[in-house]
Amino acid sequence: MTCLNVSLGAMTRMNDLIETAPPHPADTVAPETRRGGARVPTGVPGAAEERFRGLLEAAPDAMVIVDDTGTIRLVNAQTEALFGYQREELLGHPVELLVPHRFRTHHTAHRNGYAHNQQVRPMGAGLDLYGLRKDGTEFPVEISLSPLETTDGLLVSAAVRDVSERKAAEERINELAALVESSQDAILAKTLDGHITYWNAAAQRLYGFAADEVLGRHVSMLAPSARNHEITALLERLRRGEKVEHFETLRLTRSGELLDVDVTLWPTRAADGAVVGACAIVRDISDRKRAEAELTELYEQQRHIALTLQRSLMGTPPAIPGLATASRYRPATQGAGVGGDWFDLIPLGAGRVGVLIGDVMGRGLEAAAVMGQLRSAAHALAKTGLQPRQLMQAMDTVVADLDVPDQLVTCCYLVIAADTGEVTVCSAGHLPVLVAVPGARTRPLPAPVNAPLGVGGMIYEQCCGTIEPGATLVLYTDGLIETPGTDIEDKLTQLVAILDDLPTAVPDLETAVDHVLTTLLPDADGHDDVTLLLTQLPAAPLAMAATDLPATPESVPAGRDFLRKALSTWDCAGTADDALLLLSEVLTNAVQHAQGPIGVHVCRTDTDLTVEISDRSLHLPQPRLAAEDEESGRGLLLVRALADDWGVRPTDEGKTTWFSLKV
C-alpha cells in the first residue's frame, strides 16, 4: 500500500536521523529542555532536533509520537488539522484521547503488546481502525507504527492517515459489485473487438453458459447467424463512444433456443477518456413479447367489434341522383377506435337533399352510443322536412334529454336544392363548411355562429345562399385539422390550399377525398376519428320552370296549361296525364284552403319529373279516408296512389307540397 510505505519510510528516516546525528557541544541541550511545547528527547543535538522537527512537520500524514506509557510527546500540524485539537491539548495526554471509547480497552493492550514486539509495521493489520475527533465524530484511519529508541527510552511514532474517502469508494465499489452480481438482468463486459471479459450470474441463468465457458470468447456466439451483422454494427457504434439504449433483438441460448431480449450498451472509458471496452445489460422480454402479441390480437378483435358497431350506427348514406358525393371515415388510432363522428345524406324529395355532419366530444363507446342516437334522431327529424334551424333546435333538446353530463355536440345541417344551387345552412358550433369552385379560391360557406348542441337555452339561426354550378361543398370533423403538434389555423390553411389545387391534381371526387386525407394526415398514428364528405352540385343547371298564381279557381286550369307547355318542351308526354291530374288535385287544395300567391315549380332530371306547389298556409295536409258521400279527402289519396314519391315540407311563409314521377 503506497501510503503505508511512505509512512514507514518516513519513520525510518526520522529514526536514522536521530541515531546518526553527530553530537556537537554547541548543539547539546539540557535533558529537560522544551521547545515548541514538546519535550525533546535527552541527548538529541540541537541541529539534529531542528531537522527532526522539520521532517515531522513536512510529513503528509498526522504524526503522533508517544512514550512507553502511551503519553503523547510530539505531534505535527497535520495532527491538529485531522483531529481538531490544538497542540497544547494533546501533549502530555494519553494517546487514547484520539481513540473512540469502545476501542480504548483493547487499544491499551495492543499498545503494551507493541512494546514487547517493536518493529516498523502497520497497526491493526486486517482490522478496521477509527480515530476520534475533538467534536466527537469518528472516522476511519490507517496507522503506521515505528519505534524510536532514545536515551529517554522507547518512543513510538504513529503516522495516521484519514481513509474516509477511500473507504467510501471501496464501499461503493463493493455495493456496485454486489448489485451487478445480484442483478436479475444479464450483465456482461467485453473488449472493443467483442471478446467477453465479465459474465454475471444472471447472464448464466439467461443464456445457460457458465462464466468459464464464455470468458475470452467473442460475443457473436450469443447471436443467431442471421444477426451477426447487428453485432458488428453495435461494436462500431460503441467504438465511436455511442450509447445504445433498449435495442430489441433475438439472442441464442446454449440449448439453441431463441430469446427476445432488450439490450442496453454503453462504452467504458479509461482515465484519459479513451473508449477501452463496453458493458451490456440484457433483459429477457420473451414474456412481454408474447403478452404484446396476445394483447395485439385481442385489441384487433375488440377494434373490429367496435368498428362494426360504429359503422352500423353510422349507416350507409344512399346515393343521391343528380348529386355527386364522396366520403371517408377514419377511426381513431387510439383506444378501440370508435368515436363520436357521423355524417348523413338524407333525400328530402323534390330534388332536395339534406347533408348532416356532427361530432360528439370525446371518444370511446359512450361517444359512439350518443352519436348513434343523435344520428337516428336527426335523420328522422330531417325527413319531416324541418328547416335546418328547426332541426337544430329540436336536436338541442334531444341532447339535453340524453342526460349525459357535460356532453357537447357540434353539428352542421345543410339543405341543398340541386336544381337551383340554393343552400340553407345552420351550424351548431361546427367547423366551417368550405366551398371549392373550379377556377376560384376556396371560401367558407357563410353561416351564423351558433353554440354547440347541449348548451341549452339557445336560439339557432340559419342562412340561405346560392353556390355556383359544379361547386363542391367540403364538410369535415376536427380530427382532420386538429393533430398533435400542429396549429389548427395552419392546418385549415393547408386544407384550403389543397382544395384550390384539386381541379388539376385529381380527376374525380373519390380520388379527391383520398388525396385530401393522405396529404393532411400522412401518418397513420396519433389522430382522432376523422370524417370527410365532399358533395358536388351538377355542373349544368337542370331543366326547370316556375310561375306564380293567385289563390282563385281560375288558377287551376292556368296551372295545367303551364305544366302542359313545359312537359311538351321537355318531351315528357308519357307522364303528362298523371302529372296534370296530380297538379289539379294539389292546386285545387291550395286554392280552397290557403292564401296566395301560389307558386308552381317544375323540375326535370334524366329520371324524374318533380312538381312543387307552394302556398301561404301553415296547415300541413294529412291523408285520410273519405266517406262515400264526401266530396273532399280524396286528393292526397290519389297523389299517394299515382306519384312515385311525394311529401309536404314547412317553409317560413307556409308550406310546399310536391310529387315526383319517373320519366
Side-chain angles (χ1 to χ4, degrees), residues 432-447:
V433 178
L434 300 177
V435 182
V437 182
R441 293 282 296 172
T442 299
R443 67 181 190 275
L445 182 69

Side-chain angles (χ1 to χ4, degrees), residues 127-263:
L127 301 177
D128 291 328
L129 304 180
Y130 291 88
L132 180 66
R133 295 188 179 93
K134 182 179 179 179
D135 61 8
T137 59
E138 296 183 10
F139 61 99
V141 296
E142 184 181 76
I143 302 175
S144 299
L145 301 176
S146 180
L148 296 173
E149 291 292 346
T150 70
T151 57
D152 284 348
L154 175 67
L155 296 180
V156 178
S157 65
V160 184
R161 174 168 294 182
D162 184 356
V163 292
S164 299
E165 293 184 1
R166 193 184 76 197
K167 287 289 186 180
E170 289 175 353
E171 288 178 2
R172 288 195 296 270
I173 292 172
N174 292 335
E175 288 173 358
L176 288 174
L179 182 64
V180 168
E181 197 57 32
S182 63
S183 172
Q184 296 302 307
D185 295 328
I187 300 177
L188 55 146
K190 53 195 171 186
T191 62
L192 286 180
D193 58 1
H195 290 89
I196 299 171
T197 58
Y198 177 78
W199 188 262
N200 75 342
Q204 179 172 340
R205 291 193 299 270
L206 178 65
Y207 290 106
F209 293 102
D212 57 1
E213 295 179 285
V214 297
L215 292 179
R217 297 183 63 183
H218 199 272
V219 72
S220 59
M221 66 176 288
L222 305 175
S225 57
R227 301 216 173 215
N228 279 339
H229 65 284
E230 289 181 357
I231 300 294
T232 303
L234 291 172
L235 288 173
E236 181 59 34
R237 292 178 63 180
L238 290 168
R239 291 188 194 99
R240 296 197 298 265
E242 293 184 30
K243 182 179 180 181
V244 181
E245 295 188 85
H246 301 299
F247 180 78
E248 295 188 1
T249 184
L250 291 174
R251 287 294 179 259
L252 196 63
T253 69
R254 182 175 186 174
S255 63
E257 179 186 0
L258 287 177
L259 293 178
D260 286 292
V261 296
D262 177 294
V263 184

Side-chain angles (χ1 to χ4, degrees), residues 326-345:
S327 60
R328 295 290 185 273
Y329 172 77
R330 276 193 183 180
T333 56
Q334 300 174 354
V338 294
D341 285 10
W342 89 91
F343 71 96
D344 201 359
L345 298 173

Side-chain angles (χ1 to χ4, degrees), residues 575 578-579 582 607-610 642-645 659-663:
T575 60
D578 288 344
L582 297 181
T607 57
D608 297 286
L609 173 72
T610 300
L642 296 180
D644 292 298
D645 195 10
F659 62 85
S660 294
L661 297 167
K662 296 296 182 181
V663 295

Side-chain angles (χ1 to χ4, degrees), residues 559-582:
R560 286 199 299 268
D561 289 340
F562 166 76
L563 179 58
R564 187 181 292 108
K565 291 177 182 178
L567 296 179
S568 176
T569 302
W570 297 340
D571 191 21
C572 293
T575 60
D577 292 342
D578 288 344
L580 291 171
L581 175 59
L582 297 181

